[in-house]
């Protein structure tokens, strides 16, 4: 079931990102950059995209990956097809 508020959805997104990047949640802020600050690579980005699609029941075009550089960007990309 989709979370009701922006904060609740961000918590879920952050948990998914941290799990895939194998980092602690305290290490990630809304604006910390996955690639530069957390050593994410393109394979991890695709894993994040797939996990978000499954969690929120949306389809995200891979052309959106360049926008998914931090939690804020991921929230916006997921929010568009989800209608947030």
């Amino acid at each position: 079931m989709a979370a009701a508020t922006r904060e609740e959805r961000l918590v879920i997104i952050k948990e998914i990102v941290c799990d895939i990047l194998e980092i602690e949640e305290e290490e990630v802020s809304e604006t910390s950059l996955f690639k530069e600050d957390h050593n994410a690579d393109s394979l991890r980005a695709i894993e994040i995209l797939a996990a978000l699609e499954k969690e929120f029941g949306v389809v995200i075009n891979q052309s959106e990956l360049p926008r998914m550089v931090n939690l804020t960007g991921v929230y916006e990309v997921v929010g568009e097809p989800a209608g947030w």
Side-chain angles (χ1 to χ4, degrees):
M1 182 176 167
T5 67
R6 181 179 193 276
E7 290 75 25
E8 289 169 332
R9 290 187 292 254
L10 268 175
V11 167
I12 294 168
I13 291 170
K14 188 175 194 176
E15 288 172 356
I16 290 169
V17 168
C18 290
D19 184 52
I20 291 170
L21 297 183
E22 300 176 359
I23 55 178
E24 298 298 318
E25 290 188 29
E26 303 81 50
E27 296 178 56
V28 180
S29 71
E30 280 194 49
T31 56
S32 62
L33 301 173
F34 300 150
K35 182 177 178 182
E36 292 81 353
D37 298 330
H38 307 297
N39 299 315
D41 58 21
S42 57
L43 180 60
R44 301 278 180 151
I46 292 170
E47 286 181 54
I48 291 169
L49 184 141
L52 292 167
E53 287 181 327
K54 183 176 180 183
E55 175 68 32
F56 293 104
V58 297
V59 175
I60 303 167
N61 193 307
Q62 285 195 8
S63 66
E64 297 291 347
L65 282 171
R67 292 177 54 205
M68 297 173 62
V69 296
N70 57 28
L71 289 178
T72 301
V74 170
Y75 185 90
E76 291 170 1
V77 167
V78 175
E80 289 167 7
W84 303 335

